[in-house]
Amino acid sequence: MTSEHPNAWAAAAIRRLRAEGRAHGPTPLRPLPLPALRDIEVYLKDESAHPAGSVKHRLVRAMFCRAIASGRITADTTVVAATGGAVAVAGAHFARLLDLSFRAVVPAKTPADTLVRIEREGGRWQPAEQPPAAVQQEARALAERLGGHFLDHFTDAGPALAEYGEPTIADEIFEQLRAEPHPVPAWIVTGAGTGATSASIGRHLRHHGHPTRLAVVDPENSAYFPAWASDCRDYATGMPSRIPGIGRPRTEPGFLPSVIDLVIPVPDGASIAALRWLHDTAGVPAGPAAGTGLWGVCHLVSRMRAAGARGSVVSLVGDHAEPYRNTHLDPEWVRTRGLDPGPYADAVERFATTGEWDAG
Ligand SMILES: Cc1ncc(COP(=O)(O)O)c(C=O)c1O
């Protein structure tokens, strides 16, 4: 028997959040056509199909549920986030669903396209007055002033996802692969921002005893690859990632190295080259992190081929291309940021057409 929350508003709000999850159902799992790879299938789990357009939709829904269940969000709470990214868009989405006010404190250089998306979901934003490192403190202070709730995704996303229960992203992947030639994937590939998604998938694999291994792809400047490789939990680079959503300057509390089999460092130029291939050749309108994932897939598939293995590989599309038309998808923007996809483009093309991989 499930027991409902004693507060009527909270009970109704939690029912509403869970109904929203059920109504949209699982995000699509689509095969990526790579005919040169006989006996190895690659699939993309398209998290951009969530109503708020990214993998953060799941995380933020779970965080709202947890905060409501514990009484930290009530009927008249203003919810505050410290980002101009996908968490803010999803936060505004769920706040509107529950008739709550939402405010995002955004870093000064947040692209206008993202701010428009927060507004479209009914949220309000304000630029941080302090440098980027202080955005969290400012948002926390704003939440305190308003008597609101600070949506602390770096701390809360992991525990919230774990408490939310089924269906997790991994439940969906295994269900969707059931009728496919290799229903238990050899690898699942994801990036890590808060670390919550990789932790959720990794825990699922361990708890169900699946032989599937989990790879995290990690962009330049991120602390996760060195942290994982050196088993150092407080590794920090102090440098921001240039691939939105993934890679962090420090090892966040939600990153769970014990359930990760491999972390693959990916040059940013390679992420852009793979992103362009996804767009131009495969027709997949994904965000930059999906390019990082595809580079990791090439690496893993080449290892499988070398070992004569068959099987399937699943990689995450964490968000949609739309917000990046004037940034990562614009060759001029890429060039002025000193990113050079040139040396990597041939490797991706050759892999896609022949299955051969000579990029390490
Ligand atoms: C765009 C994007 N954002 C975020 C993530 C992961 O987020 P988190 O580690 O916070 O769960 C991914 C994972 O691949 C991603 O592709």
Side-chain angles (χ1 to χ4, degrees):
M1 196 180 101
T2 54
S3 59
E4 200 166 75
H5 198 285
N7 175 291
W9 179 86
I14 288 169
R15 276 200 307 273
R16 203 147 181 204
L17 289 167
R18 290 190 177 274
E20 189 269 358
R22 282 193 301 275
H24 296 289
T27 54
L29 183 79
R30 300 192 183 95
L32 184 66
L34 290 164
L37 306 181
R38 282 184 295 277
D39 300 328
I40 298 178
E41 296 88 34
V42 176
Y43 300 86
L44 298 179
K45 176 71 172 161
D46 185 5
E47 291 288 283
S48 76
H50 285 294
S54 83
V55 66
K56 297 296 185 194
H57 194 88
R58 276 179 210 276
L59 270 55
V60 172
R61 189 201 295 122
M63 287 169 68
F64 268 75
C65 251
R66 186 169 191 247
I68 292 166
S70 64
R72 283 176 289 142
I73 293 179
T74 60
D76 52 5
T77 304
T78 298
V79 179
V80 180
T83 166
V87 166
V89 178
H93 178 91
F94 285 111
R96 179 156 69 182
L97 183 76
L98 301 176
D99 268 331
L100 300 169
S101 303
F102 179 83
R103 302 268 282 267
V105 177
V106 310
K109 287 186 183 156
T110 306
D113 295 7
T114 317
L115 300 176
V116 168
R117 291 167 65 228
I118 298 172
E119 288 169 5
R120 233 190 270 144
E121 294 289 353
R124 288 167 59 194
W125 57 270
Q126 61 194 70
E129 286 163 17
Q130 309 286 333
V135 170
Q136 292 252 340
Q137 287 97 300
E138 255 187 82
R140 203 183 284 279
L142 176 66
E144 262 168 39
R145 266 203 315 282
L146 297 171
H149 174 67
F150 174 50
L151 208 59
D152 186 354
H153 54 292
F154 286 109
T155 306
D156 287 352
L161 266 190
E163 273 177 33
Y164 188 81
E166 297 182 357
T168 67
I169 190 168
D171 287 315
E172 291 181 10
I173 291 171
F174 277 88
E175 181 60 33
Q176 288 167 315
L177 280 178
R178 250 197 230 240
E180 296 294 312
H182 297 104
V184 176
W187 287 94
I188 295 179
V189 181
T190 177
T194 65
T197 301
S198 52
S200 159
I201 296 170
R203 279 206 192 95
H204 179 104
L205 298 176
R206 297 290 194 270
H207 290 176
H208 289 77
H210 290 305
T212 306
R213 283 173 291 172
L214 175 63
V216 166
V217 283
D218 204 35
E220 283 174 31
N221 296 340
S222 174
Y224 289 137
F225 172 69
W228 177 83
S230 64
D231 202 16
C232 172
R233 286 311 308 258
D234 56 1
Y235 199 98
T237 63
M239 311 245 288
S241 161
R242 291 184 292 186
I243 306 298
I246 65 169
R248 291 290 299 163
R250 57 167 218 168
T251 312
E252 299 294 346
F255 182 68
L256 199 59
S258 60
V259 298
I260 298 167
D261 297 286
L262 182 65
V263 181
I264 305 173
V266 179
D268 291 345
S271 294
I272 301 290
L275 174 70
R276 285 186 184 168
W277 183 87
L278 278 174
H279 277 246
D280 300 344
T281 308
V284 177
T292 318
L294 179 61
W295 188 264
V297 167
C298 297
H299 176 80
L300 296 169
V301 167
S302 78
R303 280 171 45 151
M304 289 171 69
R305 279 166 59 93
R310 300 156 172 237
S312 55
V313 177
V314 177
S315 189
L316 219 73
V317 171
D319 61 1
H320 197 271
E322 206 44 51
Y324 307 108
R325 297 270 171 227
N326 300 319
T327 58
H328 299 69
L329 287 163
D330 173 8
E332 185 55 20
W333 185 94
V334 167
R335 201 182 55 74
T336 55
R337 294 303 185 285
L339 292 165
D340 185 9
Y344 307 100
D346 288 348
V348 176
E349 185 60 36
R350 191 162 128 81
F351 172 80
T353 49
T354 67
E356 302 298 324
W357 180 245
D358 44 24

mmCIF file of all heavy atoms in Angstrom, residues 26-52:
data_model
loop_
_atom_site.group_PDB
_atom_site.id
_atom_site.type_symbol
_atom_site.label_atom_id
_atom_site.label_comp_id
_atom_site.label_asym_id
_atom_site.label_seq_id
_atom_site.Cartn_x
_atom_site.Cartn_y
_atom_site.Cartn_z
ATOM 1 N N PRO A 26 8.294 7.015 -22.199
ATOM 2 C CA PRO A 26 9.744 6.975 -22.357
ATOM 3 C C PRO A 26 10.196 7.868 -23.517
ATOM 4 O O PRO A 26 9.470 8.027 -24.493
ATOM 5 C CB PRO A 26 10.034 5.506 -22.672
ATOM 6 C CG PRO A 26 8.743 4.909 -23.059
ATOM 7 C CD PRO A 26 7.640 5.762 -22.519
ATOM 8 N N THR A 27 11.392 8.427 -23.392
ATOM 9 C CA THR A 27 11.969 9.167 -24.525
ATOM 10 C C THR A 27 12.396 8.147 -25.585
ATOM 11 O O THR A 27 12.695 6.991 -25.253
ATOM 12 C CB THR A 27 13.179 9.995 -24.075
ATOM 13 O OG1 THR A 27 14.102 9.124 -23.418
ATOM 14 C CG2 THR A 27 12.762 11.129 -23.156
ATOM 15 N N PRO A 28 12.423 8.552 -26.870
ATOM 16 C CA PRO A 28 12.716 7.581 -27.930
ATOM 17 C C PRO A 28 14.135 7.006 -27.844
ATOM 18 O O PRO A 28 15.061 7.687 -27.415
ATOM 19 C CB PRO A 28 12.590 8.410 -29.213
ATOM 20 C CG PRO A 28 11.905 9.673 -28.830
ATOM 21 C CD PRO A 28 12.137 9.898 -27.377
ATOM 22 N N LEU A 29 14.245 5.742 -28.248
ATOM 23 C CA LEU A 29 15.559 5.107 -28.435
ATOM 24 C C LEU A 29 15.634 4.780 -29.923
ATOM 25 O O LEU A 29 14.856 3.964 -30.417
ATOM 26 C CB LEU A 29 15.671 3.827 -27.611
ATOM 27 C CG LEU A 29 17.029 3.131 -27.686
ATOM 28 C CD1 LEU A 29 18.044 3.818 -26.778
ATOM 29 C CD2 LEU A 29 16.919 1.660 -27.300
ATOM 30 N N ARG A 30 16.556 5.433 -30.628
ATOM 31 C CA ARG A 30 16.592 5.274 -32.092
ATOM 32 C C ARG A 30 17.907 4.668 -32.536
ATOM 33 O O ARG A 30 18.963 5.067 -32.031
ATOM 34 C CB ARG A 30 16.451 6.636 -32.777
ATOM 35 C CG ARG A 30 15.181 7.366 -32.449
ATOM 36 C CD ARG A 30 14.996 8.559 -33.385
ATOM 37 N NE ARG A 30 13.807 9.297 -33.009
ATOM 38 C CZ ARG A 30 13.795 10.357 -32.221
ATOM 39 N NH1 ARG A 30 14.929 10.833 -31.751
ATOM 40 N NH2 ARG A 30 12.666 10.963 -31.910
ATOM 41 N N PRO A 31 17.848 3.753 -33.520
ATOM 42 C CA PRO A 31 19.107 3.238 -34.056
ATOM 43 C C PRO A 31 19.836 4.320 -34.848
ATOM 44 O O PRO A 31 19.203 5.135 -35.512
ATOM 45 C CB PRO A 31 18.658 2.105 -34.986
ATOM 46 C CG PRO A 31 17.204 2.243 -35.167
ATOM 47 C CD PRO A 31 16.657 3.166 -34.125
ATOM 48 N N LEU A 32 21.147 4.364 -34.731
ATOM 49 C CA LEU A 32 21.959 5.272 -35.542
ATOM 50 C C LEU A 32 22.471 4.439 -36.720
ATOM 51 O O LEU A 32 23.224 3.481 -36.507
ATOM 52 C CB LEU A 32 23.126 5.800 -34.697
ATOM 53 C CG LEU A 32 24.030 6.837 -35.367
ATOM 54 C CD1 LEU A 32 23.276 8.138 -35.647
ATOM 55 C CD2 LEU A 32 25.246 7.140 -34.483
ATOM 56 N N PRO A 33 22.042 4.779 -37.950
ATOM 57 C CA PRO A 33 22.417 3.906 -39.069
ATOM 58 C C PRO A 33 23.920 3.960 -39.353
ATOM 59 O O PRO A 33 24.445 4.997 -39.735
ATOM 60 C CB PRO A 33 21.618 4.481 -40.254
ATOM 61 C CG PRO A 33 20.717 5.513 -39.691
ATOM 62 C CD PRO A 33 21.243 5.932 -38.363
ATOM 63 N N LEU A 34 24.592 2.841 -39.121
ATOM 64 C CA LEU A 34 26.032 2.724 -39.393
ATOM 65 C C LEU A 34 26.260 1.363 -40.053
ATOM 66 O O LEU A 34 26.729 0.419 -39.398
ATOM 67 C CB LEU A 34 26.835 2.829 -38.081
ATOM 68 C CG LEU A 34 26.861 4.207 -37.414
ATOM 69 C CD1 LEU A 34 27.334 4.112 -35.971
ATOM 70 C CD2 LEU A 34 27.757 5.169 -38.193
ATOM 71 N N PRO A 35 25.897 1.243 -41.353
ATOM 72 C CA PRO A 35 25.887 -0.073 -42.002
ATOM 73 C C PRO A 35 27.260 -0.751 -42.031
ATOM 74 O O PRO A 35 27.337 -1.975 -42.120
ATOM 75 C CB PRO A 35 25.413 0.230 -43.428
ATOM 76 C CG PRO A 35 25.094 1.673 -43.498
ATOM 77 C CD PRO A 35 25.440 2.329 -42.215
ATOM 78 N N ALA A 36 28.328 0.033 -41.928
ATOM 79 C CA ALA A 36 29.665 -0.584 -41.981
ATOM 80 C C ALA A 36 29.948 -1.441 -40.747
ATOM 81 O O ALA A 36 30.833 -2.290 -40.758
ATOM 82 C CB ALA A 36 30.726 0.503 -42.127
ATOM 83 N N LEU A 37 29.184 -1.217 -39.692
ATOM 84 C CA LEU A 37 29.442 -1.962 -38.444
ATOM 85 C C LEU A 37 28.579 -3.211 -38.397
ATOM 86 O O LEU A 37 27.563 -3.245 -37.726
ATOM 87 C CB LEU A 37 29.087 -1.110 -37.224
ATOM 88 C CG LEU A 37 29.712 0.273 -37.089
ATOM 89 C CD1 LEU A 37 29.240 0.915 -35.808
ATOM 90 C CD2 LEU A 37 31.227 0.166 -37.113
ATOM 91 N N ARG A 38 28.956 -4.223 -39.090
ATOM 92 C CA ARG A 38 28.132 -5.437 -39.063
ATOM 93 C C ARG A 38 28.160 -6.044 -37.655
ATOM 94 O O ARG A 38 29.197 -6.069 -37.020
ATOM 95 C CB ARG A 38 28.657 -6.444 -40.084
ATOM 96 C CG ARG A 38 28.228 -6.089 -41.505
ATOM 97 C CD ARG A 38 28.691 -7.150 -42.474
ATOM 98 N NE ARG A 38 30.147 -7.214 -42.558
ATOM 99 C CZ ARG A 38 30.854 -6.395 -43.333
ATOM 100 N NH1 ARG A 38 30.264 -5.483 -44.061
ATOM 101 N NH2 ARG A 38 32.171 -6.472 -43.367
ATOM 102 N N ASP A 39 27.026 -6.483 -37.171
ATOM 103 C CA ASP A 39 26.912 -7.149 -35.863
ATOM 104 C C ASP A 39 27.079 -6.232 -34.647
ATOM 105 O O ASP A 39 27.130 -6.699 -33.513
ATOM 106 C CB ASP A 39 27.905 -8.314 -35.729
ATOM 107 C CG ASP A 39 27.668 -9.356 -36.798
ATOM 108 O OD1 ASP A 39 26.496 -9.522 -37.197
ATOM 109 O OD2 ASP A 39 28.645 -9.984 -37.235
ATOM 110 N N ILE A 40 27.244 -4.945 -34.885
ATOM 111 C CA ILE A 40 27.257 -4.009 -33.751
ATOM 112 C C ILE A 40 26.234 -2.910 -34.055
ATOM 113 O O ILE A 40 26.306 -2.264 -35.095
ATOM 114 C CB ILE A 40 28.652 -3.373 -33.525
ATOM 115 C CG1 ILE A 40 29.670 -4.465 -33.184
ATOM 116 C CG2 ILE A 40 28.601 -2.314 -32.426
ATOM 117 C CD1 ILE A 40 31.092 -3.980 -32.997
ATOM 118 N N GLU A 41 25.268 -2.743 -33.138
ATOM 119 C CA GLU A 41 24.253 -1.710 -33.340
ATOM 120 C C GLU A 41 24.496 -0.568 -32.348
ATOM 121 O O GLU A 41 24.825 -0.819 -31.183
ATOM 122 C CB GLU A 41 22.835 -2.244 -33.096
ATOM 123 C CG GLU A 41 22.391 -3.314 -34.062
ATOM 124 C CD GLU A 41 22.796 -4.704 -33.588
ATOM 125 O OE1 GLU A 41 22.797 -4.917 -32.368
ATOM 126 O OE2 GLU A 41 23.125 -5.555 -34.444
ATOM 127 N N VAL A 42 24.332 0.654 -32.851
ATOM 128 C CA VAL A 42 24.447 1.842 -31.995
ATOM 129 C C VAL A 42 23.072 2.493 -31.909
ATOM 130 O O VAL A 42 22.384 2.650 -32.929
ATOM 131 C CB VAL A 42 25.480 2.843 -32.558
ATOM 132 C CG1 VAL A 42 25.515 4.116 -31.718
ATOM 133 C CG2 VAL A 42 26.869 2.197 -32.623
ATOM 134 N N TYR A 43 22.646 2.860 -30.700
ATOM 135 C CA TYR A 43 21.351 3.510 -30.491
ATOM 136 C C TYR A 43 21.570 4.839 -29.768
ATOM 137 O O TYR A 43 22.469 4.963 -28.930
ATOM 138 C CB TYR A 43 20.435 2.640 -29.621
ATOM 139 C CG TYR A 43 20.136 1.291 -30.194
ATOM 140 C CD1 TYR A 43 21.007 0.219 -29.975
ATOM 141 C CD2 TYR A 43 18.987 1.065 -30.955
ATOM 142 C CE1 TYR A 43 20.739 -1.040 -30.503
ATOM 143 C CE2 TYR A 43 18.706 -0.183 -31.478
ATOM 144 C CZ TYR A 43 19.584 -1.235 -31.254
ATOM 145 O OH TYR A 43 19.315 -2.473 -31.772
ATOM 146 N N LEU A 44 20.693 5.788 -30.067
ATOM 147 C CA LEU A 44 20.719 7.066 -29.351
ATOM 148 C C LEU A 44 19.467 7.165 -28.486
ATOM 149 O O LEU A 44 18.345 7.020 -28.996
ATOM 150 C CB LEU A 44 20.767 8.239 -30.330
ATOM 151 C CG LEU A 44 22.009 8.303 -31.238
ATOM 152 C CD1 LEU A 44 21.912 9.502 -32.186
ATOM 153 C CD2 LEU A 44 23.298 8.383 -30.418
ATOM 154 N N LYS A 45 19.661 7.408 -27.207
ATOM 155 C CA LYS A 45 18.537 7.627 -26.284
ATOM 156 C C LYS A 45 18.279 9.133 -26.251
ATOM 157 O O LYS A 45 19.097 9.902 -25.738
ATOM 158 C CB LYS A 45 18.916 7.084 -24.903
ATOM 159 C CG LYS A 45 17.880 7.329 -23.820
ATOM 160 C CD LYS A 45 16.636 6.489 -24.004
ATOM 161 C CE LYS A 45 15.694 6.614 -22.808
ATOM 162 N NZ LYS A 45 14.327 6.195 -23.156
ATOM 163 N N ASP A 46 17.141 9.534 -26.822
ATOM 164 C CA ASP A 46 16.925 10.943 -27.121
ATOM 165 C C ASP A 46 16.236 11.691 -25.992
ATOM 166 O O ASP A 46 15.011 11.872 -25.984
ATOM 167 C CB ASP A 46 16.127 11.079 -28.421
ATOM 168 C CG ASP A 46 15.994 12.528 -28.834
ATOM 169 O OD1 ASP A 46 16.600 13.395 -28.177
ATOM 170 O OD2 ASP A 46 15.276 12.797 -29.812
ATOM 171 N N GLU A 47 17.026 12.200 -25.079
ATOM 172 C CA GLU A 47 16.477 12.933 -23.934
ATOM 173 C C GLU A 47 16.035 14.358 -24.295
ATOM 174 O O GLU A 47 15.432 15.039 -23.492
ATOM 175 C CB GLU A 47 17.509 12.972 -22.805
ATOM 176 C CG GLU A 47 17.747 11.614 -22.161
ATOM 177 C CD GLU A 47 16.565 11.184 -21.310
ATOM 178 O OE1 GLU A 47 16.416 11.701 -20.183
ATOM 179 O OE2 GLU A 47 15.778 10.328 -21.790
ATOM 180 N N SER A 48 16.337 14.766 -25.536
ATOM 181 C CA SER A 48 15.873 16.098 -25.953
ATOM 182 C C SER A 48 14.364 16.088 -26.194
ATOM 183 O O SER A 48 13.740 17.139 -26.347
ATOM 184 C CB SER A 48 16.593 16.555 -27.218
ATOM 185 O OG SER A 48 16.087 15.885 -28.352
ATOM 186 N N ALA A 49 13.772 14.883 -26.232
ATOM 187 C CA ALA A 49 12.329 14.771 -26.492
ATOM 188 C C ALA A 49 11.480 15.121 -25.265
ATOM 189 O O ALA A 49 10.257 15.222 -25.367
ATOM 190 C CB ALA A 49 11.994 13.360 -26.959
ATOM 191 N N HIS A 50 12.110 15.303 -24.090
ATOM 192 C CA HIS A 50 11.328 15.744 -22.921
ATOM 193 C C HIS A 50 10.717 17.126 -23.203
ATOM 194 O O HIS A 50 11.323 17.928 -23.919
ATOM 195 C CB HIS A 50 12.242 15.885 -21.700
ATOM 196 C CG HIS A 50 12.645 14.578 -21.093
ATOM 197 N ND1 HIS A 50 11.750 13.725 -20.495
ATOM 198 C CD2 HIS A 50 13.855 13.988 -20.975
ATOM 199 C CE1 HIS A 50 12.404 12.662 -20.028
ATOM 200 N NE2 HIS A 50 13.676 12.792 -20.312
ATOM 201 N N PRO A 51 9.562 17.426 -22.587
ATOM 202 C CA PRO A 51 8.935 18.732 -22.836
ATOM 203 C C PRO A 51 9.875 19.920 -22.594
ATOM 204 O O PRO A 51 9.813 20.897 -23.318
ATOM 205 C CB PRO A 51 7.749 18.743 -21.862
ATOM 206 C CG PRO A 51 7.425 17.299 -21.664
ATOM 207 C CD PRO A 51 8.724 16.552 -21.746
ATOM 208 N N ALA A 52 10.767 19.850 -21.607
ATOM 209 C CA ALA A 52 11.686 20.979 -21.382
ATOM 210 C C ALA A 52 12.976 20.822 -22.192
ATOM 211 O O ALA A 52 13.912 21.612 -22.038
ATOM 212 C CB ALA A 52 11.979 21.152 -19.897
#
